[in-house]
Amino acid sequence: MVKDIFNRIYLFLIFVFLYAPIAVLIIFSFNNSKSRANWNGFTLKWYLQLFKDPDIKKALYYTVIIAIISSIISTIIGTAAAIGIHNMSKWKKTLVMNITYLPILNPDIVTGISLMILFIFFKVRLGFVSMLLAHITFNIPYVILSVMPKLKQLNKHLYEAALDLGATPAYAFFKVIIPEIMPGIITGALLAFTLSLDDFVISFFTAGSGVTNLSITIYSMARRGVNPTINALSTLMFLCVLILLFIVNKRTSKDANE
């Protein structure tokens, strides 16, 4: 009994420590005053100002368009890579999967600087294309790791059975294999979209001038002084990421139960 109470208090303190700053940020995004110390009434004016700011609207456009395009491309490449890895021999599969883990474990700042140097070496102008390529690069491993569990669950004779029943290789792949691993593909796509949406470090090194996303815009605004619109923007980003992560976790739990 005492142990349960202690565990609950400990868990409560952990959640307070993690989410109290975010709760304060959300509360003060509705504060009628610019002051961060006094509550002067409820307002939505910072949210209205947020969508009237041309810099934020431009950053929002680049953030969403890069997240959509990078998640689609990385999902296609990651799915194809996962299928290829799945059909490798055991030692090759182990080697490639260990290599796949490296970009995930690698610090973002190292990945960002490496990509920036690579783009400069190949004379790729830093801007929309470089940021898009960077997001595709760091999203692919997450898609591979999302699709691989579904491939492991797949009956290895399913593809051959479809061919024996008269299906062409393309028909068997798109009508039999892809639907079976679709939950993993969707999970990988949602994860890639979420990671792209709130990435800061890698985007910071690969964006160049003239192109920026919301994370970089918030950083630039914060350097000029904390504006309440930052609270509103951060609140909206937190809610978007929270919803997407909730969907991803729900799909992952459903896949695990299946």
Side-chain angles (χ1 to χ4, degrees):
M1 183 66 181
V2 175
K3 186 178 179 181
D4 290 341
I5 294 174
F6 176 79
N7 289 338
R8 289 178 183 179
I9 294 174
Y10 177 75
L11 186 63
F12 174 76
L13 291 175
I14 291 294
F15 278 113
V16 168
F17 181 77
L18 290 175
Y19 292 104
I22 297 173
V24 171
L25 181 144
I26 293 174
I27 292 170
F28 276 85
S29 70
F30 298 104
N31 188 7
N32 193 35
S33 170
K34 282 189 175 181
S35 172
R36 285 168 289 163
N38 300 315
W39 175 262
N40 289 345
F42 180 86
T43 183
L44 292 174
K45 66 180 181 181
W46 306 119
Y47 287 88
L48 297 176
Q49 286 187 16
L50 180 67
F51 291 103
K52 292 178 182 177
D53 190 320
D55 292 335
I56 291 177
K57 285 197 289 187
K58 184 180 177 183
L60 178 63
Y61 166 76
Y62 282 122
T63 301
V64 173
I65 198 71
I66 287 178
I68 292 173
I69 296 175
S70 66
S71 59
I72 291 173
I73 296 176
S74 60
T75 299
I76 294 171
I77 297 174
T79 302
I83 293 171
I85 294 170
H86 179 70
N87 291 317
M88 288 179 175
S89 59
K90 186 176 180 180
W91 73 269
K92 285 183 180 178
K93 186 189 296 184
T94 303
L95 176 65
V96 175
M97 287 305 296
N98 286 332
I99 294 173
T100 303
Y101 279 115
L102 283 177
I104 296 175
L105 300 175
N106 202 30
D108 283 353
I109 190 169
V110 176
T111 304
I113 293 174
S114 303
L115 288 168
M116 180 186 68
I117 294 173
L118 180 69
F119 292 140
I120 292 173
F121 179 77
F122 284 107
K123 301 186 185 309
V124 177
R125 184 180 177 183
L126 296 182
F128 179 85
V129 174
S130 61
M131 189 192 289
L132 177 62
L133 291 173
H135 281 229
I136 293 171
T137 302
F138 74 72
N139 278 335
I140 287 174
Y142 293 95
V143 177
I144 293 174
L145 295 177
S146 298
V147 176
M148 284 300 289
K150 297 304 296 181
L151 287 169
K152 289 180 181 176
Q153 296 172 8
L154 194 67
N155 189 321
K156 62 182 181 180
H157 300 299
L158 193 62
Y159 179 74
E160 295 172 359
L163 296 180
D164 290 342
L165 291 173
T168 62
Y171 188 89
F173 177 75
F174 287 106
K175 295 294 183 180
V176 178
I177 302 299
I178 291 295
E180 288 292 323
I181 62 174
M182 186 56 72
I185 296 174
I186 294 174
T187 301
L190 288 172
L191 195 57
F193 184 83
T194 305
L195 292 169
S196 178
L197 201 64
D198 71 344
D199 174 71
F200 169 72
V201 177
I202 296 174
S203 300
F204 183 78
F205 287 103
T206 57
S209 60
V211 177
T212 181
N213 62 6
L214 284 176
S215 300
I216 299 174
T217 301
I218 292 174
Y219 173 71
S220 302
M221 292 169 69
R223 293 183 67 182
R224 297 194 297 268
V226 178
N227 189 308
T229 55
I230 296 177
N231 298 340
L233 181 57
S234 301
T235 300
L236 292 178
M237 289 186 67
F238 171 75
L239 291 176
C240 288
V241 172
L242 183 66
I243 292 170
L244 287 171
L245 285 176
F246 177 76
I247 294 172
V248 170
N249 288 333
K250 192 171 183 181
R251 290 198 64 85
T252 305
S253 301
K254 184 179 177 182
D255 294 344
N257 293 331
E258 289 176 355

